[in-house]
Amino acid sequence: MIELMNKLLLVSAFALAACMYPGELPFACNLKAFTPHQRVRWRQLIERVTSAVTEARELKDGYGFRVNTGQAPLVDVAEWVDLERRCCPFFDFQMDVHGEDGSLWLSLKGRDGVKDFIRADFSLLHDKLQKH
């Protein structure tokens, strides 16, 4: 219950900040950006992609995540990015695919506050973000 209240407080703070800076999009996911089918697919993909994260690196404006492509193939990661950017347009995404070892790094970045939003919203990554 306390965790839920903390999340609601954080979302409220982000919404208040959005009112103070009207030129910027608020830190709030718009799940209405999805059709019912897309919402189901997004939930499947977010679970697959986040469970395939093997390493996290803190960046100055977000986080980088190493994704095990055996668990979440490149096409699934790209499909998740396509859906995620519809509901969360304040994220900047970057995918780096390395030829030699086949590793995939996915970066979620953005303006001030994005790192806090990632830590609060991506509960499936909490154990990997605890180190940062």
Side-chain angles (χ1 to χ4, degrees):
M1 182 65 145
I2 292 175
E3 184 177 328
L4 177 61
M5 290 176 64
N6 285 338
K7 280 187 177 185
L8 289 173
L9 183 60
L10 183 61
V11 169
S12 297
F14 286 136
L16 179 60
C19 293
M20 295 170 63
Y21 304 100
E24 297 180 338
L25 295 171
F27 287 119
C29 295
N30 177 12
L31 296 181
K32 291 181 181 180
F34 298 140
T35 66
H37 173 75
Q38 288 172 326
R39 186 174 303 111
V40 169
R41 183 64 178 151
W42 171 78
R43 289 185 196 280
Q44 293 169 341
L45 289 168
I46 195 167
E47 188 171 318
R48 180 175 297 152
V49 171
T50 56
S51 66
V53 169
T54 59
E55 185 179 344
R57 291 185 184 160
E58 186 169 2
L59 307 171
K60 101 179 154 125
D61 55 353
Y63 288 96
F65 302 101
R66 185 180 190 138
V67 179
N68 178 337
T69 55
Q71 292 178 307
L74 176 62
V75 295
D76 287 353
V77 177
E79 184 181 359
W80 175 75
V81 167
D82 183 50
L83 290 170
E84 185 71 16
R85 68 186 184 89
R86 293 175 194 201
C87 72
C88 299
F90 50 85
F91 280 135
D92 295 327
F93 298 93
Q94 180 177 336
M95 292 174 54
D96 295 313
V97 181
H98 300 269
E100 289 288 323
D101 65 1
S103 65
L104 168 64
W105 281 89
L106 172 64
S107 299
L108 270 69
K109 303 184 281 186
R111 66 180 186 272
D112 286 342
V114 161
K115 283 166 65 168
D116 293 331
F117 184 86
I118 292 168
R119 280 193 298 269
D121 196 54
F122 286 82
S123 60
L124 297 172
L125 292 173
H126 280 177
D127 60 326
K128 293 169 181 90
L129 295 176
Q130 292 297 325
K131 300 171 188 169
H132 300 283

